[in-house]
Amino acid sequence: MGENTNKEVEKQVKKAQKQARKQQMKEASRRPLRWDKLDNTALIFPVIAGEGMTNTYRISVELNEEIQPALLQEALNIILPKFNVFNVRLRMGIFWYYFEENNKSAPTVTEEELFPCRYIQSNKNNSYLFSVSYYKRRINLEVFHVLTDGMGGINFLRELTYQYLRLAHPELKEKVEDKLSDVTSLNVEDSFEKNYKKTTKKRGYMNDRAYLIKQKKLEKGEFGVMHGLINLPELKAVTKKRGVSINEYLVAMFAWATYVQCLHKTPSKLPIRIAVPVNLRPYFNSNTTKNFFTMVAAEFFPTEEEYTFEQVLEIIQKSLKSQIQKDNLEELFSMGVSNRNNKFLRMVPLMLKNIVMRLVYNQSALSYTTTITNIGSAQIDPVYEPYVKLFRAFIAMSKGQSLKGTISSYKDTLVFTFSSIFSDTSVQKEFFRKIAEDGVTVQIETNGVYYE
């Protein structure tokens, strides 16, 4: 009986989806297709992306109930047309890539079976640059970074979750309207262009080599994920006592774990350099759903004999504080925008631009030991909180960086997630062991690759 009911629901959903898309395509045929430029950060991603370096990230939400796939598909069908940043396909122009409105059916929601953060083949995904999957109680959103950063991803996933919960729990419609939340932004401005200041400086990628972690790798195609669920009030107490921010503490902890487990507390000829993306929205009063971040470098160069964790923490804190200032951040992204707006470069054919950008990227890719990104705290409307348990996020590998970290939080739990293609987990273990040594409760979860 239950199986027949599910099949009937699926039939109804597919019928409604087909009718909605027919209407949408009919309306679209009466007007020119919407198109848009890529933001300044997004320009590099189509050039370097492929099976070996996917440039995708995942944000997932764990609910307190099993996911009903037919309703999740229906929720996606409903909200996708409302988000211009996601409702696009990527086109190749003469001089630049660009986005064009996508009138195809929404991507098919699938049950997760493969390893995460795989390359999104748009031609097999109705030309879309994101995917939605589920596993038991978890909804996964994977996004090709060309569309948006973590803030834009959370924006979309939150509304997808709200819509799903309203479908799964009709009683919610008596408490909230069946529409997008008032706090959800649909802004699609290019905040790089809006806020940059003209500069004569030319931004080049960093070319100074960094220490690279080299360990035995997993089998080809495997992808290891290790989540550390950290008690946030306890972590805040520790960082307050030490006089540092949570970000500074966790970045320093990665540098420490690498120093201990990889360099064995000995001097190095190359620095441990960590790329730290900075969300620019708070500094420039932006609520864009496009990419709007720039990268700073936290550096620890162990040139002397043995360092203590306190010394490493102080070095990392000074390194980050000196760079995360509005004037410096403005200069960093303004140089990139100025390069793109150069009249001569604008007229260079895209094929030649791609060759040059790929060469420059490959030269600079070995300048960082890792990347640690903080997507912030997920804020959920109180009416939905009883249904939502946790958020997690992580990013794909890139050249020279086979171990990365992502920070996300919800309520009293901060999740630090390691994504890796290494079979060795010594850095991860040292990282969480040292945090626990500071008196912070840590619970470890993995995706099954690591059984230790």
Side-chain angles (χ1 to χ4, degrees):
M1 183 72 178
E3 186 177 341
N4 290 335
T5 302
N6 286 337
K7 286 183 178 179
E8 185 60 32
V9 169
E10 288 182 21
K11 282 178 64 177
Q12 292 174 0
V13 168
K14 287 180 180 178
K15 184 178 179 181
Q17 178 184 3
K18 192 174 180 180
Q19 291 174 341
R21 273 300 169 182
K22 272 187 176 180
Q23 181 63 29
Q24 186 178 349
M25 291 178 72
K26 187 177 180 180
E27 292 173 0
S29 66
R30 299 170 183 163
R31 58 176 172 77
L33 287 177
R34 171 178 52 83
W35 72 276
D36 199 3
K37 295 190 299 182
L38 275 63
D39 63 73
N40 198 67
T41 296
L43 295 173
I44 189 65
F45 295 123
V47 180
I48 61 175
E51 294 288 351
M53 189 162 58
T54 65
N55 287 282
T56 61
Y57 63 84
R58 170 182 286 197
I59 304 176
S60 61
V61 57
E62 183 180 348
L63 304 183
N64 291 313
E65 59 192 50
E66 294 280 322
I67 303 300
Q68 300 178 58
L71 295 184
L72 182 57
Q73 181 71 65
E74 185 179 356
L76 179 60
N77 298 342
I78 292 170
I79 74 157
L80 177 57
K82 301 175 183 179
F83 282 82
N84 288 345
V85 163
F86 282 82
N87 194 25
V88 295
R89 66 178 76 191
L90 186 65
R91 293 295 201 186
M92 187 174 182
I94 298 174
F95 300 107
W96 296 107
Y97 287 98
Y98 66 95
F99 292 125
E100 183 182 79
E101 182 178 357
N102 189 348
N103 286 322
K104 293 183 180 180
S105 299
T108 301
V109 171
T110 58
E111 184 172 12
E112 183 179 9
E113 295 178 341
L114 303 173
F115 288 103
C117 288
R118 299 175 69 88
Y119 181 60
I120 297 176
Q121 296 181 310
S122 60
N123 61 329
K124 296 181 180 180
N125 193 46
N126 285 355
S127 300
Y128 288 99
L129 303 167
F130 73 95
S131 65
V132 175
S133 64
Y134 67 94
Y135 180 73
K136 295 184 178 179
R137 298 179 299 174
R138 190 176 71 233
I139 300 172
N140 307 310
L141 172 68
E142 294 198 356
V143 182
F144 183 26
H145 222 316
V146 71
L147 291 180
T148 182
D149 54 25
M151 293 298 293
I154 281 188
N155 202 44
F156 186 80
L157 179 60
R158 183 176 56 232
E159 285 300 337
L160 175 62
T161 303
Y162 286 175
Q163 184 65 62
Y164 169 80
L165 288 171
R166 289 195 296 271
L167 293 171
H169 300 275
E171 67 273 14
L172 278 172
K173 293 184 180 180
E174 299 175 7
K175 301 177 182 178
V176 289
E177 292 185 67
D178 191 16
K179 65 173 189 175
L180 296 183
S181 167
D182 291 338
V183 300
T184 293
S185 173
L186 295 177
N187 188 303
V188 293
E189 73 173 20
D190 186 336
S191 289
F192 289 111
E193 286 280 1
K194 180 181 179 181
N195 292 285
Y196 97 100
K197 290 187 176 179
K198 290 184 179 180
T199 175
T200 56
K201 294 182 180 179
K202 302 298 180 185
R203 183 179 186 181
Y205 286 90
M206 183 175 287
N207 290 313
D208 296 338
R209 294 286 298 271
Y211 173 78
L212 301 182
I213 301 173
K214 295 179 180 179
Q215 297 173 336
K216 183 180 177 181
K217 293 186 177 180
L218 296 165
E219 294 295 322
K220 187 175 181 180
E222 291 187 335
F223 189 99
V225 179
M226 184 179 292
H227 306 287
L229 279 60
I230 301 172
N231 183 292
L232 189 52
E234 292 176 357
L235 181 62
K236 285 180 177 178
V238 168
T239 55
K240 183 178 180 181
K241 185 177 180 181
R242 289 184 176 276
V244 297
S245 70
I246 289 176
N247 227 39
E248 291 164 351
Y249 178 83
L250 294 174
V251 172
M253 194 61 75
F254 188 102
W256 169 260
T258 304
Y259 172 61
V260 172
Q261 293 298 326
C262 301
L263 292 174
H264 307 292
K265 296 186 177 181
T266 60
S268 171
K269 294 180 180 179
L270 296 171
I272 297 171
R273 187 180 296 120
I274 301 170
V276 180
V278 178
N279 174 22
L280 295 171
R281 293 171 182 83
Y283 296 92
F284 297 93
N285 194 30
S286 168
N287 64 348
T288 184
T289 52
K290 288 189 173 187
N291 287 298
F292 193 39
F293 69 94
T294 194
M295 205 79 74
V296 299
E299 183 172 301
F300 165 52
F301 203 155
T303 55
E304 301 175 5
E305 293 304 318
E306 186 173 338
Y307 292 77
T308 65
F309 172 68
E310 286 69 26
Q311 289 174 312
V312 174
L313 180 57
E314 182 180 1
I315 292 168
I316 292 294
Q317 183 186 38
K318 287 181 179 178
S319 179
L320 287 173
K321 275 193 170 181
S322 66
Q323 297 173 77
I324 304 179
Q325 305 289 336
K326 183 177 179 180
D327 289 347
N328 183 59
L329 298 173
E330 183 178 71
E331 186 174 273
L332 287 174
F333 76 76
S334 290
M335 286 188 285
V337 175
S338 294
N339 288 344
R340 185 181 73 174
N341 290 344
N342 180 286
K343 290 182 180 179
F344 172 75
L345 292 177
R346 286 169 63 179
M347 298 305 295
V348 175
L350 181 57
M351 290 182 67
L352 292 179
K353 283 192 182 91
N354 286 350
I355 293 171
V356 173
M357 285 193 287
R358 198 175 293 116
L359 286 172
V360 172
Y361 175 82
N362 287 336
Q363 288 178 352
S364 65
L366 306 182
S367 298
Y368 295 100
T369 308
T370 190
T371 297
I372 295 180
T373 183
N374 189 341
I375 67 168
S377 175
Q379 302 298 320
I380 295 295
D381 189 306
V383 74
Y384 298 103
E385 286 185 355
Y387 306 93
V388 178
K389 183 179 180 182
L390 197 63
F391 281 81
R392 298 178 179 87
F394 51 90
I395 51 181
M397 303 300 97
S398 56
K399 185 173 182 179
Q401 298 181 40
S402 299
L403 174 65
K404 293 187 177 184
T406 306
I407 305 164
S408 57
S409 60
Y410 176 62
K411 291 188 173 181
D412 285 341
T413 302
L414 180 145
V415 184
F416 190 102
T417 301
F418 284 101
S419 46
S420 176
I421 55 173
F422 290 136
S423 58
D424 185 285
T425 58
S426 57
V427 172
Q428 294 95 310
K429 288 177 179 177
E430 177 65 27
F431 180 94
F432 291 125
R433 184 200 65 78
K434 184 67 175 173
I435 292 175
E437 190 180 89
D438 263 353
V440 179
T441 303
V442 181
Q443 178 185 344
I444 305 298
E445 295 179 358
T446 78
N447 67 336
V449 171
Y450 306 119
Y451 291 100
E452 301 175 67

